[in-house]
Amino acid sequence: MATLRLGDDAPDFTAETTEGTVNFHEWKGDSWAVLFSHPKDFTPVCTTELGYTAKLKDEFDARNVKVLAVSVDSVEEHKKWSSDIEETQGIAPNFPIIGDQDKKVADLYDMIHPNANDTTTVRSVFVIGADNKIK
């Protein structure tokens, strides 16, 4: 797949998350979305990133933005990690986290660097408009 660029259509997908099955475009609706990846559960930097993102929920809601995270770890691991995030950051993730063990979403969004271990997503952030275009 070619690299996604600004103005491209954001690929649609269906994935299992910590909040159940999500069909991306349907879940997003007419909102904007931030889709971001993290390399691995239970890592210190990722833990703080997801905790801080959860703390911004009111700001995202005020701007009609939904947040969705992804990594190649399982939904079960994400749920265990959510408890750790709550304990260490004072808040649990309040957005879905995709379990992408088959790397379907990571591959669709070209999140795995060719020189990296194929189980680790590169840190990627996609801002997707209400029109489903990458902004």
Side-chain angles (χ1 to χ4, degrees):
M1 157 156 213
T3 301
L4 294 172
R5 299 183 186 270
L6 295 177
D8 286 352
D9 290 327
D12 196 14
F13 57 84
T14 299
E16 294 304 314
T17 78
T18 53
E19 297 184 6
T21 303
V22 166
N23 175 281
F24 182 55
H25 287 176
E26 182 180 308
W27 170 83
K28 189 180 90 39
D30 64 356
S31 298
W32 283 60
V34 174
L35 172 65
F36 71 104
S37 66
H38 58 89
K40 189 80 178 141
D41 291 0
F42 295 98
T43 59
V45 172
C46 295
T47 298
T48 58
E49 288 172 349
L50 269 70
Y52 190 79
T53 301
K55 291 175 184 174
L56 295 174
K57 181 169 181 24
D58 291 342
E59 296 296 326
F60 285 119
D61 288 349
R63 290 162 179 80
N64 194 30
V65 177
K66 293 183 175 181
V67 175
L68 183 62
V70 61
S71 88
V72 297
D73 290 314
S74 70
V75 169
E76 281 65 39
E77 284 300 305
H78 294 335
K79 288 179 179 179
K80 292 176 191 172
W81 185 36
S82 292
S83 296
D84 180 67
I85 294 169
E86 183 173 24
E87 181 182 325
T88 61
Q89 305 305 303
I91 188 168
N94 45 25
F95 48 86
I97 306 171
I98 297 169
D100 195 31
Q101 290 179 289
D102 63 1
K103 298 179 286 239
K104 177 181 164 186
V105 175
D107 286 341
L108 196 58
Y109 278 79
D110 196 28
M111 293 179 176
I112 299 177
H113 189 279
N115 296 329
N117 177 321
D118 70 356
T119 63
T120 306
T121 52
V122 174
R123 291 181 186 276
S124 301
V125 177
F126 293 89
V127 176
I128 300 155
D131 58 0
N132 290 326
K133 300 281 187 190
I134 296 174
K135 304 295 182 182

